[in-house]
Amino acid sequence: QVQLVESGGGLVQAGGSLRLSCAASGRILSINGMGWYWQAPGKQRELVAVIRSDGSTNYADSVHGRFTISRDNAKNTVYLQMNSLKPEDTAVYYCYADLAAQSMGFPSSQEVWGQGTLVTVSS
């Protein structure tokens, strides 16, 4: 069973920085894309950033120029470097992976979510 384990959330003052990490483990065959979503209280979960297997990236307009997503393919890990944080960035951040994994002896496509990590930005 594939799992995503996130780390790096916490409390930071406005203007500060945090780095989130998300490591995928299990019988992974390949990872097509990994990304980060956020969900603020009372709001829907939304895409923050995604990085695909070819290295291409996309960002939400609100974080473009402040956040950088990267991945270490050898470690099946994705990172989100967050700079110039704002109070409106406060949310639970979820890691996401679109991958192929071994399941009961056969390859299967899976979409996997992490448990979420809270980022709080104080003003």
Side-chain angles (χ1 to χ4, degrees):
Q1 185 174 356
V2 177
Q3 289 186 324
L4 301 181
V5 178
E6 301 138 333
S7 61
L11 174 64
V12 64
Q13 288 187 333
S17 298
L18 281 176
R19 188 191 194 209
L20 305 182
S21 300
C22 171
S25 63
R27 297 185 175 185
I28 298 168
L29 299 175
S30 62
I31 299 179
N32 300 318
M34 297 186 78
W36 293 92
Y37 285 69
W38 61 11
Q39 187 167 19
K43 295 188 177 181
Q44 290 187 333
R45 192 174 297 186
E46 298 179 336
L47 177 69
V48 178
V50 62
I51 183 166
R52 302 174 189 85
S53 57
D54 62 0
S56 62
T57 59
N58 283 100
Y59 296 89
D61 289 343
S62 60
V63 307
H64 209 285
R66 299 187 297 122
F67 291 10
T68 302
I69 190 170
S70 60
R71 62 191 279 180
D72 184 333
N73 292 328
K75 296 181 179 180
N76 289 335
T77 299
V78 65
Y79 306 96
L80 186 68
Q81 178 66 43
M82 305 184 292
N83 298 328
S84 302
L85 282 160
K86 304 175 181 180
E88 50 264 43
D89 297 323
T90 295
V92 177
Y93 286 68
Y94 295 92
C95 179
Y96 164 85
D98 172 16
L99 51 81
Q102 198 79 8
S103 178
M104 294 185 290
F106 297 93
S108 68
S109 297
Q110 299 182 21
E111 295 182 346
V112 187
W113 291 90
Q115 79 283 358
T117 184
L118 177 63
V119 172
T120 303
V121 184
S122 63
S123 58

